[in-house]
Amino acid sequence: MKVIVGVSGGIAAYKAAELVRALQQQALDVHVTMTEAAQQFVQPLTFAALTGHRVLTSLWQDADHSNPDAAMEHIAEAQSCDALVIAPATADLLARMAHGIANDFLTTLYLATPAPVLVAPAMNVQMWEHPATQANIAILAARGVQILPPESGALACGMVGSGRLADVETIARAVVATLHRRQNRKQDMAQETVLITAGGTREPIDPVRYLGNRSSGKMGYALAEAAQQRGARVRLISAPTQLQAPAGCAVTPVLTAEQMRAAVLEHLPQATLVIKAAAVADFRPRITAGQKIKRSGPITLELEPTGDILSETVQRRLPGTLVVGFAAETNDPLEHGRGKLARKGADAIVLNDVSRAGIGFESDRNAATFLTESRAIDLPEMSKRALADRILDEVLALRRDKNLLSEVGAMPTRRAPTDRG
Ligand code: PMT
């Protein structure tokens, strides 16, 4: 497996050489990329000699302007690595990562890689404790970056406090554990064809206005990415979002609840698992005005109910297809969640309390209760990407409990999604 060690410009840069050695002892293929500042502390040659690979130091390194492959090297590296570990990570590097500034090879690689990212900060204690650095750390942690906090002790600057690079063995162990988790998970959904709905539907009032809701699509997209990375074939039925579809997922864009219903029913026969994370309008205007409604005093909108896609999915599914709904509740969540589970007939409901600050709609974080007929499993607050994996763990456990895999295996092969339309 290939691990890239990113080295930024702090006095602890020399310890990255020990980290390279520790990772190599785990039979990992280690590559190194250095920021310009890191090269003030350690020569790239040190790492080239240790790894046997060219050290990547610049986006324009060895630039051959007639060779398109050279211009895309950061993408090739990003796609081919199994983990990126940055040690030491300086305050400046953390700030650039948190704010999406991609102005050198390492920060560009960070933005481009789908691999897990670990950072081991090292700096002066005041820089580490500064609210700006702590805010950047919080942003990165919320996005799923694994932070390996600095240790306390005597620092190179002469001060004593927190800021010393985490122990090299600790960093190496965290990298190995991450790789194991990723590898074990890699193929545990290889038998699944997953249909996921995401985002908030829009019900047109007139050509310029619509009834919508606050769903950003982040929860559904995180589930799609997690399932895809675990080997599933994934079709994402997506109401409008600002998000980039996860690589490898087939996407059907929709606008209204009725379009979402039609897309779900079209793809349902191929699905072994349906997860309905979308926030679907429960009502739509009975009449959509053909022209923009002019401002002329109070108006009354007559609303009619939309179809309940989740219930229809449950009724029309083939034997062996698991159906998991979501419930967004603001009061008495457990009671309402249980009611929804029973009424809709789903195998499970992922219940989230959207009245809680900092989670739910739009946030990068969420917390949920995975509700089945017999269990209520608490999934505490974490990033939506991490929660997606926890939800999928519970779905797979539920499939095992229900012993449905044999039924799915006995069914005719289901067609996989192949396109992005
Ligand atoms: O998109 P994010 O910003 O990341 O936010 C995530 C989320 C809060 C939207 C998500 O976690 C969530 O809770 N989604 C479900 C929101 C919702 O519509 O809940 P509900 O309780 O109104 O609906 C219950 C279930 O029925 C849902 O699975 C919903 O998709 C489904 N439904 C609802 C109405 C309808 N007409 N048809 C349906 O199938």
Side-chain angles (χ1 to χ4, degrees), residues 356 359 365-369 377-383 386-387 390:
R356 273 181 58 187
I359 62 166
R365 298 179 71 74
N366 207 0
T369 305
I377 299 152
D378 194 34
L379 306 175
E381 182 180 332
M382 61 189 100
S383 71
L387 183 65
R390 289 291 293 109

Side-chain angles (χ1 to χ4, degrees), residues 27-228:
L28 295 168
D29 179 22
V30 184
H31 294 233
V32 173
T33 172
M34 302 176 78
T35 63
E36 211 175 311
Q39 296 165 60
Q40 302 296 320
F41 292 90
V42 185
Q43 288 293 312
L45 189 59
T46 304
F47 293 108
L50 284 175
T51 62
H53 298 296
R54 194 168 63 106
V55 174
L56 301 161
T57 51
S58 158
L59 283 168
W60 319 114
Q61 194 172 356
D62 307 333
D64 170 358
H65 297 294
S66 60
N67 177 6
D69 290 347
M72 289 297 137
E73 192 166 20
H74 57 291
I75 302 293
E77 286 295 306
Q79 295 295 330
S80 66
C81 77
D82 295 290
L84 168 63
V85 52
I86 301 174
T90 58
D92 170 70
L93 185 79
L94 294 170
R96 286 189 285 138
M97 288 170 70
H99 297 282
I101 296 170
N103 58 355
D104 61 10
F105 196 95
L106 179 52
T107 47
T108 310
L109 179 73
Y110 160 66
L111 282 190
T113 189
V117 179
L118 301 91
V119 296
M123 63 197 76
N124 159 277
V125 59
Q126 274 167 335
M127 290 173 78
W128 171 246
E129 287 174 356
H130 196 285
T133 304
Q134 289 304 310
N136 291 332
I137 285 286
I139 289 172
L140 293 172
R143 292 186 187 142
V145 173
Q146 196 176 329
I147 311 291
L148 306 169
E151 294 176 353
S152 278
L155 304 175
C157 58
M159 296 177 82
V160 175
S162 190
R164 206 162 66 181
L165 184 73
D167 175 57
V168 164
E169 287 302 324
T170 307
I171 301 172
R173 266 201 308 278
V175 173
V176 170
T178 300
L179 290 170
H180 278 164
R181 270 200 307 277
R182 189 171 149 90
Q183 198 168 32
N184 291 341
R185 279 206 157 135
K186 239 177 191 167
Q187 293 306 313
D188 65 355
M189 294 190 73
Q191 295 182 59
E192 304 280 354
T193 299
V194 189
L195 190 56
I196 296 172
T197 67
T201 58
R202 294 180 181 180
E203 307 302 324
I205 297 170
D206 67 17
V208 296
R209 305 180 179 96
Y210 59 82
L211 291 177
N213 61 66
R214 289 175 48 206
S215 171
S216 63
K218 287 178 181 173
M219 191 67 243
Y221 276 55
L223 282 159
E225 182 180 278
Q228 202 275 335

Side-chain angles (χ1 to χ4, degrees), residues 299-381:
I299 64 161
T300 303
L301 273 182
E302 192 181 343
L303 303 179
E304 62 183 10
T306 55
D308 183 337
I309 312 171
L310 180 55
S311 299
E312 202 170 346
T313 303
V314 170
Q315 284 155 20
R316 294 215 199 175
R317 66 172 153 181
L318 292 173
T321 299
L322 278 182
V323 180
V324 177
F326 266 70
E329 302 297 341
T330 55
N331 61 306
D332 302 323
L334 210 52
E335 191 189 323
H336 286 110
R338 283 195 198 288
K340 246 170 217 171
L341 181 69
R343 268 197 318 282
K344 306 219 180 201
D347 296 293
I349 286 280
V350 180
L351 167 65
N352 37 194
D353 180 349
V354 288
S355 69
R356 273 181 58 187
I359 62 166
F361 287 117
E362 296 157 312
S363 169
D364 289 319
R365 298 179 71 74
N366 207 0
T369 305
F370 190 84
L371 268 186
T372 64
E373 234 178 353
S374 55
R375 301 181 70 189
I377 299 152
D378 194 34
L379 306 175
E381 182 180 332

